[in-house]
Amino acid sequence: MSLSRVLSRGQLGIEAPRVTVEVHLGGGLPSFTIVGLPEASVRESRERVRAALQMAGFEFPARRITVNLAPADLPKQGGRFDLPIALGILAASKQLPDSCLHNREFYGELSLSGALRPIPGVLPAIVAGHQAGHRLYLPEENGPEAALVSDADTQLSPSLLALVAGLLGQQPLPGPPAASAPPQPSEHCLSDIIGQGHAKRALMIAAAGHHHLLLMGPPGTGKTLLASRLASLLPPLTTEQALAVAAIHSVAGMSRTPAQLHQRPFRGPHHSSSAASLVGGGSIPQPGEISLAHHGVLFLDELPEFARTVLDSLREPLESGEVVISRASAKLTFPAQFQLVAAMNPAPSGETGQHSRDTPEQIRRYLSRLSGPFLDRFDLTIEVPRLPPGSLTQGQREGPTSDEVRALVAAARQRALARQGCLNQALAGHRLGPDVGIPAAGLQYAERAVSKLGLSVRAFHRILRVSRTIADLAGEDQVGKAHMAEALGYRAMDRLLKELSSMTG
């Protein structure tokens, strides 16, 4: 009787728990059994492994083969265990020395010809294996993802036969490809947008404090164009943030290239999206759009067209920065620290005021598709008006460039982090006071304004956070009344609702 052990890793959300593949060859009638909570795709590896070993010229032992995937209480799915099972059979049958498998991890799906196929969600396994100090062996087509963790000891192979030859020292195995050149700056600049100085200022404030932003205006005023510029105003991802974002995309089967590694993700789901597609879910839980936008921007265009239940499902992740998906077999947590930007028309016909064809009651019903608690999550709500006549024929850039704004945003963020250890949007309500440069007079000023507008306590705190960001952009240590007044100017939705309430009695 012979026993071998091969290390691999499973997939549990964005985590990669270690799995030990134990292969036992015993006496009795030939059979092939896999235990350890395998799903159908894992059980089917018996036929793939048998054919791959025979096609590669190895002997498939005619014995009682038992494969145990430990730990037994962890669900196993996918074809990632094909390669370690095949190597375990070779080691247990003495066709491969056990010493070739020590302190090494193997992942890969086998084709019937013995070629190695790429597996999804491999990046978390690479990170975990590297932290454990092991050498990693992957299919050749997973090389671009392996290149994202440049200091990991990773080797690639196109087939089972080439891998065994590499383990025996008969031929070298290549490492991942060298990282490509750094990404080129975006061709789209904030100054390309004609007019809309107020909206550009709001974008700068939103980027500096990580504030959620709602753009309201008639169709064709540039709301989508403005929202698309936000990600370019944010500083590049740090290495830690970049790997966290890449791991989420890897699990979702949307691998990021080395050139994309430090770029902020920008996600714009369609308004017909379901709650599961935004938040995440499925029988085998997968990350949703809010997790794919982790450390980036989530843009919701035509906001009232989203189902109200879908929008309300975002309320908790907006506050907690994560989403928890519970299933009978597991409870998974996906990070979701995203910045929300939304765009909408202020009325069903798209216009308000003298050009509107809607009655106040029709506008009220239209806006009632958005719940009050959800609207409270926006720190800034602004109007994006139509451009005055003659603006489109000027043909010249207006305002600061994206590079100039990015430098101001980075300086303001650094000032906030040095003062309080977090960005202003994350400041808890009890910290919004003199300790962060908001004097008592400023608190009283904001409280009177909130009471007059009939706003909630959450809105009061958001006004204070926005005013703190405005002061940071100005390089001021103390928040003054001018900063407070500007922050109150970014409450367009509150003014619209108050105006409708007075019109309808």
Side-chain angles (χ1 to χ4, degrees):
M1 293 187 295
S2 301
L3 178 68
S4 66
R5 294 181 178 87
V6 185
L7 297 181
S8 186
R9 292 194 178 268
Q11 181 180 323
L12 192 64
I14 60 170
E15 298 178 359
R18 192 174 80 169
V19 173
T20 302
V21 179
E22 300 176 323
V23 179
H24 177 261
L25 302 184
L29 294 175
S31 63
F32 195 161
T33 305
I34 299 179
V35 298
L37 210 57
E39 295 190 355
S41 58
V42 181
R43 293 193 297 270
E44 291 170 353
S45 68
R46 294 174 299 187
E47 307 309 321
R48 294 193 297 269
V49 168
R50 186 195 310 271
L53 286 174
Q54 292 173 344
M55 290 297 293
F58 297 105
E59 177 189 353
F60 187 82
R63 303 179 60 183
R64 186 181 182 89
I65 304 173
T66 303
V67 177
N68 178 39
L69 306 177
D73 60 345
L74 176 70
K76 322 295 190 309
Q77 68 269 347
R80 62 175 55 213
F81 301 110
D82 289 3
L83 179 59
I85 290 174
L87 294 174
I89 292 175
L90 291 178
S93 60
K94 308 305 180 185
Q95 300 178 70
L96 181 68
D98 283 335
S99 59
C100 295
L101 306 178
H102 292 168
N103 294 322
R104 300 176 181 185
E105 296 183 11
F106 303 86
Y107 333 104
E109 178 182 335
L110 287 170
S111 70
L112 299 184
S113 65
L116 284 174
R117 299 183 185 275
I119 59 173
V122 73
L123 187 59
I126 296 173
V127 174
H130 170 57
Q131 293 174 347
H134 295 158
R135 174 174 288 182
L136 314 175
Y137 293 84
L138 303 170
E140 195 172 49
E141 294 182 48
N142 283 123
E145 280 189 89
L148 299 180
V149 189
S150 57
D151 53 347
D153 185 2
T154 306
Q155 294 190 349
L156 308 175
S157 177
S159 66
L160 173 62
L161 185 60
L163 177 59
V164 173
L167 292 174
L168 294 174
Q170 297 173 354
Q171 68 178 38
L173 292 174
S180 59
Q184 297 297 318
S186 174
E187 298 179 358
H188 304 291
C189 182
L190 187 64
S191 62
D192 292 336
I193 301 176
I194 300 174
Q196 306 300 1
H198 182 61
K200 292 178 182 178
R201 171 70 174 171
L203 276 180
M204 183 191 305
I205 296 170
H210 196 265
H211 299 297
H212 306 307
L213 171 65
L214 175 60
L215 305 168
M216 297 192 305
T221 54
K223 301 185 295 296
T224 301
L225 197 62
L226 286 161
S228 67
R229 297 296 192 268
L230 179 57
S232 67
L233 305 182
L234 301 173
L237 294 171
T238 64
T239 300
E240 181 181 358
Q241 291 173 336
L243 287 177
V245 171
I248 296 171
H249 283 71
S250 177
V251 169
M254 305 164 58
S255 302
R256 290 166 71 85
T257 64
Q260 299 172 322
L261 184 60
H262 294 281
Q263 293 179 357
R264 299 266 177 176
F266 182 90
R267 306 292 300 178
H270 192 261
H271 59 75
S272 62
S273 300
S274 65
S277 68
L278 257 67
V279 177
S283 57
I284 300 176
Q286 293 291 308
E289 291 289 342
I290 63 174
S291 293
L292 294 172
H294 184 52
H295 290 313
V297 177
L298 178 71
F299 175 51
L300 302 182
D301 202 2
E302 302 295 343
L303 187 65
E305 302 302 324
F306 284 82
R308 181 166 177 167
T309 54
V310 172
L311 294 179
D312 285 344
S313 68
L314 302 181
R315 285 160 48 185
E316 184 177 349
L318 280 170
E319 297 294 333
S320 65
E322 62 182 23
V323 58
V324 179
I325 301 175
S326 297
R327 293 292 181 267
S329 58
K331 182 178 180 180
L332 305 182
T333 300
F334 292 106
Q337 296 178 12
F338 60 95
Q339 187 167 357
L340 178 61
V341 181
M344 61 175 288
N345 298 328
S349 65
E351 301 279 359
T352 56
Q354 61 180 351
H355 301 292
S356 177
R357 301 191 304 270
D358 306 305
T359 65
E361 186 58 34
Q362 288 175 324
I363 298 176
R364 176 188 285 276
R365 285 199 302 268
Y366 176 73
L367 297 179
S368 68
R369 300 178 186 179
L370 307 173
S371 68
F374 176 73
L375 289 174
D376 264 350
R377 264 62 179 184
F378 289 99
D379 301 318
L380 304 98
T381 59
I382 65 167
E383 296 180 21
V384 184
R386 292 194 182 278
L387 295 174
S391 300
L392 298 178
T393 58
Q394 293 178 359
Q396 59 183 7
R397 294 192 168 193
E398 297 184 7
T401 65
S402 292
D403 291 339
E404 293 169 343
V405 172
R406 192 184 306 112
L408 294 173
V409 167
R413 283 180 166 232
Q414 188 58 42
R415 189 174 290 111
L417 291 173
R419 180 180 59 246
Q420 66 224 10
C422 65
L423 297 178
N424 293 324
Q425 193 272 339
L427 273 172
H430 67 275
R431 298 184 62 187
L432 293 168
D435 290 343
V436 293
I438 304 178
L443 294 173
Q444 294 170 0
Y445 176 81
E447 185 176 5
R448 288 195 299 270
V450 166
S451 177
K452 185 176 181 179
L453 291 172
L455 304 181
S456 66
V457 175
R458 182 181 283 114
F460 170 69
H461 289 156
R462 296 194 183 283
I463 291 169
L464 295 180
R465 295 185 185 107
V466 172
S467 62
R468 178 64 269 180
T469 299
I470 295 172
D472 284 335
L473 283 169
E476 302 287 343
D477 292 331
Q478 295 291 313
V479 176
K481 284 190 176 181
H483 305 134
M484 290 279 187
E486 184 178 356
L488 286 165
Y490 298 115
R491 306 296 301 182
M493 178 63 79
D494 299 325
R495 293 192 295 272
L496 176 59
L497 293 175
K498 189 175 181 64
E499 180 182 344
L500 288 173
S501 177
S502 63
M503 293 174 65
T504 57

